[in-house]
Amino acid sequence: MTTLDTSDELHLKLYRQMFLIRRFEEEAARAYAQGKIGGFLHLYIGQEAIAVGAHAAMRQDDYMLTTYRDHGLALARGMAPRAAMAELFGKVTGCSKGLGGSMHFFDREHNMLGGYGIVGGHIPIGVGTAFASKYRGEDRVSMVFFGEGAVSIGDFHEGMSLASLWRLPVVFVCENNEYAMGTPISRTLSVADVSQKALGYGMARERFAAESVIHVRDRLRAIVDRVRETSEPTLVEIQTYRFRGHSMSDPGKYRTKEELEERKRKDVVLRARVELEEKGQSEALERIEKEVEDEVTDAIRFAEESPEPGPEILAPTTYTGAFAR
Amino acid sequence: MPQMNMVQAINDALRFEMRRDPRVVVLGEDVGKVGGVFRVTQGLFDEFGDDRVIDTPLSEGGIIGTAIGMALYGLVPVPEIQFSDFIFPAYDQIVSELAKFRYRSGGEYPAKIVIRTPVGGGIRGGHYHSQSPESQFIHVAGLKVVCPSNPADAKGLLLASIRDPDPVLFFEPKRIYRAAKGEVPEGDVTVPIGKARVVRSGKHLTLVAWGAMLYEALDAANQAASQGIETEVIDLRTLWPLDIDTIVESVKKTGRVVVVHEAPKSCGFGAEIVALVNEKAFLHLEAPPLRITGFDTPFPYTLENEYLPLSHRILPGIVQTARY
C-alpha cells in the first residue's frame, strides 16, 4: 500500500484541476452558444471530483478511457487546455487535429485513450489494454469510465466477462449520475445498485458517493493498488450528479428545480474551496483561480485564432495510402 | 516447395509469424486446444501456449473490442471469428472503433489487427454459415479486405496482412479450405496487398472473380474457349484497396467485363467494380458490364448450387456478353 498524500498542497492541486475543468467547460458552453463549437457538447460539470480523484489514484503510465463526456478526464490527465479547446472548435491544433470534436478526445502522450461516442463501445477496448499489460508482464492498470446507461449494453457485459475470466488489471468505473440522457435509473435498470452487476462475473465490487475529490482519490487508490497487485478486476459504482443537461441541447425538464438545487449544494468544487479556505488557503486559492482564468482565456483565444484543417489532412488518417480515389 | 491446402498454408503463416514476432497473439472461439472449428490454428496452442493462443467465450464484440485494446498497447492480435456470418455482433466494434482509430488520433495511432474469418457457401451451411459480407466492410473507410484463392496467396497475403499498418479483414473461402492445393513457398514470402493477378489471359472478355468462385470462373472460361471466346480471368486477391488499374487495363483490351461473386447482387462489390469500369473505361466498352452473383435472398440450404454463381451460370453470361 502506498501512503496517501493528505497535504494542503495536494488538495490545492486537485482543486486546481477541478476548477480548470469547471471554468473550461463554462467557457466552452458560452462558445457553443455563440456558434463557435458545433455538433454536440456534453458537460462534466458536477462530476469533476471523479476524473480528478481517479487521475490522482492512477499512475501517468496507466491507461484511462471514457465516454463522450470526456473533457474532464482529458484535462485531469494533463491535456493542454489549448489542445482541448481547439479540438472543440474543430481546429487543426486540437488534440485530434480537429477531426474528432468534443466527444472523441484522444491523448496518447498522457495515456488518455479516448472519449467514445458509442455508448459502451470502449469497455472491451480497456479490457484489451489490460490484457496487453499482463501479457507483457507489466503492472499498468486500465481504468474504463461509463455511465449507468451503459450497463444494459452488451459490450459492458462482454468486457466484464472477459476481464474476470482472464483476471485482468482493469477497473470498471460506473459514474452513476442517475439519468441515461433524460430517463432516470429507476426506469432503465432492474436494480438500484449498479455494482451488483459484478456478482454474475465473480468480480469484486465497490460502491460509494463522490462526496469529495479526496474521498474519491482515497477509495479509488485502495482499489487500484489492489487491482495492480492481484490482477483481479473490480467494478466500482460512484454516485454522482451532473448539473447541466445531457448535452447542450437538453433543457433537463425531466428533473425538478428543487432536485437540482439540492444537488448543487453538494457541489464538489465549491466544497473543496470551502475546506481549503477554512484551512487558511485563501491566498493560494485566489492565485490558482487567477491562473486558471488566464489559461482558459488563452485557450479560447488560441482556439479562435487557430486554422481549420484542410481536406488534405484526411488522406493519411484513413489508410496508409491516399484516401481519395 | 511443399504441397499444402489452404488450411495448412494459413496455419503455416500464423506459426511463422508467431515465431518471428512475440507481439502476435491469436484469439477466438475454440482456437486453442481444439485448433479452431476448421482446424486452422491446430498445433499453435501446443507450441505457443495459452497466453498467445487464447480460447475465448462466445463473445464476438468482446473479442474484437479486446483485440483493439491489445493493439493500442502494441500487441498484434489476430482474432478469428468462427464464421463470417457471426461477425455482426462485432460489427459495431469493427465499424465504430477499429476502422476509425487512425482517423480519430489525427492519423497517428492505428489500431492494427487482422480479423480472420471463413467466408462463403459450399458446405450446405444455410443462411447463418454461408454468407459473403465483404461489401459491408469495404464500404467502411479504414478497413482493408483480403480474400485469397489458393494456398500460396493465403500464406503470403496473411503474412502481409499481419505486417500491414492498417486493420485487415482476412476472408478465407471455406469451400476451398481443403480442396485448393498447391505449392507454398517456405519461410518469409509475402504477397503484396492491393495487387490483383491475371490468372488466364484472353482478348475477348475480362472476367473478375476472387476466392472460391475463381475456380468456377476459370472453368467457365475454359468452356468458353471451345466456343472461340478467349476470356481473361483476374483474381482480385485483395478486394480493398482494389487494384482497379489491372481491371481497367484488361477492359481496355477486351472491351467487355463480367464480375462474379457469391454475395447478393444489390450493392455487392460487383456494383462498385462496374461503376469504376464505367468511370475509367467507358469509351472502351463494347457491351454492358454484367454481374453474375448470388440472389437478393438469404443464402439457401437447398438450392445452394443454384444460388452460387457456379460455372454453369457463368458460361452463359460470358457468351452473352462476348456476343453482344
Side-chain angles (χ1 to χ4, degrees):
Chain A
M1 278 295 180
T2 41
T3 343
L4 288 175
D5 181 358
T6 53
S7 64
D8 281 9
E9 199 184 329
L10 174 81
H11 203 174
L12 281 166
K13 191 175 127 190
L14 301 184
Y15 173 74
R16 189 188 198 286
Q17 290 173 355
M18 289 199 297
F19 188 69
L20 171 63
I21 296 168
R22 176 71 54 97
R23 289 295 302 123
F24 177 94
E25 289 203 317
E26 285 171 350
E27 290 309 311
R30 193 198 304 271
Y32 187 90
Q34 293 167 346
K36 293 175 182 170
I37 296 171
F40 298 90
L41 190 72
H42 303 83
L43 300 179
Y44 199 58
I45 290 175
Q47 302 182 209
E48 294 93 335
I50 298 177
V52 172
H55 170 70
M58 294 280 273
R59 297 194 319 220
Q60 193 69 54
D61 69 338
D62 289 332
Y63 280 131
M64 298 175 87
L65 301 84
T66 191
T67 68
Y68 47 84
R69 201 178 300 286
D70 59 356
H71 317 145
L73 182 66
L75 292 170
R77 275 315 249 171
M79 182 185 287
R82 280 183 162 201
M85 196 66 84
E87 189 62 30
L88 296 183
F89 278 59
K91 299 300 182 69
V92 74
T93 49
C95 63
S96 300
K97 299 180 182 166
L99 297 171
S102 164
M103 297 190 279
H104 315 107
F105 279 13
F106 193 84
D107 187 354
R108 184 179 192 173
E109 185 192 340
H110 294 98
N111 290 320
M112 190 288 207
L113 290 187
Y116 291 77
I118 303 289
V119 174
H122 61 302
I123 295 173
I125 297 176
V127 173
T129 54
F131 182 99
S133 170
K134 187 172 180 179
Y135 179 83
R136 291 191 156 176
E138 297 171 357
D139 68 346
R140 295 157 81 175
V141 171
S142 296
M143 186 179 279
V144 190
F145 295 89
F146 47 90
E148 85 287 348
V151 306
S152 298
I153 280 176
D155 279 326
F156 166 76
H157 295 276
E158 297 197 26
M160 293 273 290
S161 161
L162 294 173
S164 206
L165 176 70
W166 293 333
R167 303 184 59 197
L168 300 179
V170 53
V171 183
F172 299 95
V173 179
C174 176
E175 295 183 76
N176 178 359
N177 65 17
E178 300 185 22
Y179 292 91
M181 274 187 69
T183 306
I185 185 170
S186 59
R187 293 176 66 82
T188 63
L189 274 186
S190 56
V191 291
D193 178 350
V194 175
S195 74
Q196 284 185 24
K197 300 289 175 186
L199 295 173
Y201 302 106
M203 189 185 293
R205 63 183 178 128
E206 305 262 354
R207 186 178 196 229
F208 60 91
E211 290 162 18
S212 74
V213 67
I214 295 288
H215 180 64
V216 172
R217 193 278 311 253
D218 291 355
R219 292 292 301 263
L220 283 179
R221 175 64 70 80
I223 293 163
V224 169
D225 283 351
R226 188 181 70 221
V227 168
R228 198 184 304 283
E229 199 178 321
T230 62
S231 190
E232 296 277 3
T234 299
L235 171 64
V236 187
E237 175 189 357
I238 307 181
Q239 292 145 318
T240 184
Y241 200 81
R242 63 171 152 74
F243 295 165
R244 301 295 187 98
H246 168 73
S247 71
M248 287 297 289
S249 57
D250 168 21
K253 287 185 176 161
Y254 42 84
R255 52 190 187 186
T256 63
K257 219 174 197 170
E258 292 72 32
E259 177 182 317
L260 185 58
E261 287 313 311
E262 194 208 317
R263 295 306 189 110
K264 280 188 176 173
R265 277 199 288 277
K266 297 178 188 165
D267 181 0
V268 284
V269 180
L270 199 60
R271 187 171 174 161
R273 194 183 200 287
V274 170
E275 272 180 41
L276 284 161
E277 252 181 351
E278 284 168 358
K279 288 179 176 171
Q281 295 290 352
S282 298
E283 242 176 71
L285 284 168
E286 277 168 35
R287 193 191 66 244
I288 282 172
E289 288 166 0
K290 169 81 175 59
E291 281 171 15
V292 166
E293 291 299 340
D294 289 348
E295 236 178 296
V296 173
T297 307
D298 170 71
I300 291 272
R301 189 185 312 119
F302 176 78
E304 280 175 341
E305 289 171 0
S306 290
E308 285 182 1
E312 72 284 352
I313 199 175
L314 286 173
T317 62
T318 306
Y319 293 105
T320 37
F323 105 104
R325 293 189 67 82
Chain B
M1 280 194 282
Q3 284 275 328
M4 293 186 190
N5 62 29
M6 296 282 275
V7 168
Q8 291 163 329
I10 295 164
N11 182 278
D12 189 53
L14 288 170
R15 190 184 302 272
F16 183 88
E17 202 61 1
M18 290 182 80
R19 283 179 183 164
R20 195 185 72 86
D21 184 350
R23 299 173 307 159
V24 178
V25 298
V26 166
L27 65 159
E29 296 156 16
D30 300 307
V31 299
K33 282 199 161 169
V34 174
V37 71
F38 290 102
R39 303 294 180 269
V40 174
T41 56
Q42 196 151 42
L44 300 180
F45 183 89
D46 290 335
E47 177 167 352
F48 300 104
D50 62 359
D51 64 337
R52 294 189 68 193
V53 184
I54 306 147
D55 280 318
T56 68
L58 287 81
S59 181
E60 283 79 11
I63 293 167
I64 301 303
T66 302
I68 294 169
M70 293 174 174
L72 290 180
Y73 203 121
L75 302 190
V76 183
V78 186
E80 173 181 305
I81 298 295
Q82 201 160 68
F83 285 82
S84 58
D85 311 69
F86 306 170
I87 206 165
F88 296 104
Y91 197 58
D92 178 43
Q93 285 292 335
I94 296 169
V95 172
S96 304
E97 312 301 350
L98 179 63
K100 292 174 176 56
F101 253 97
R102 180 188 286 280
Y103 172 89
R104 65 169 304 163
S105 61
E108 287 167 13
Y109 206 0
K112 194 247 134 8
I113 72 178
V114 179
I115 301 172
R116 290 184 36 252
T117 185
V119 72
I123 62 164
R124 300 204 71 193
H127 58 280
Y128 292 144
H129 295 75
S130 309
Q131 296 171 89
S132 296
E134 64 275 354
S135 65
Q136 297 175 57
F137 295 93
I138 294 167
H139 192 58
V140 180
L143 303 172
K144 288 179 176 170
V145 179
V146 171
C147 186
S149 68
N150 63 71
D153 280 354
K155 177 180 176 182
L157 281 166
L158 184 53
L159 287 178
S161 297
I162 296 173
R163 296 171 196 177
D164 192 273
D166 293 315
V168 179
L169 263 90
F170 193 85
F171 285 112
E172 302 171 358
K174 57 173 124 36
R175 178 184 167 93
I176 54 168
Y177 253 150
R178 290 171 199 281
K181 296 187 183 112
E183 290 189 334
V184 176
E186 285 179 275
D188 197 352
V189 181
T190 60
V191 170
I193 289 177
K195 289 273 174 256
R197 192 162 62 102
V198 178
V199 292
R200 183 187 199 284
S201 55
K203 57 186 180 197
H204 296 134
L205 184 138
T206 302
L207 185 57
V208 180
W210 59 88
M213 290 306 104
L214 178 75
Y215 298 93
E216 300 299 321
L218 281 169
D219 183 28
N222 290 336
Q223 291 181 52
S226 65
Q227 300 181 38
I229 302 167
E230 288 305 328
T231 304
E232 184 143 298
V233 180
I234 297 175
D235 177 6
L236 286 186
R237 307 199 288 185
T238 298
L239 306 188
W240 203 260
L242 176 65
D243 183 1
I244 187 65
D245 292 345
T246 294
I247 298 172
V248 166
E249 193 187 328
S250 174
V251 172
K252 283 183 176 171
K253 181 174 70 177
T254 63
R256 296 159 206 271
V257 63
V258 175
V259 184
V260 173
H261 62 63
E262 295 186 31
K265 178 182 271 186
S266 300
C267 293
F269 193 42
E272 180 68 23
I273 294 170
V274 168
L276 285 167
V277 167
N278 281 334
E279 286 173 13
K280 292 172 185 288
F282 187 69
L283 295 178
H284 294 83
L285 288 174
E286 304 285 344
L290 183 69
R291 291 171 287 164
I292 302 171
T293 68
F295 305 129
D296 288 356
T297 71
F299 196 105
Y301 165 61
T302 305
L303 299 176
E304 186 172 60
N305 289 339
E306 296 307 314
Y307 183 92
L308 288 171
L310 302 182
S311 60
H312 69 88
R313 287 181 54 208
I314 300 172
L315 180 60
I318 291 178
V319 173
Q320 170 201 323
T321 304
R323 302 220 165 122
Y324 179 83

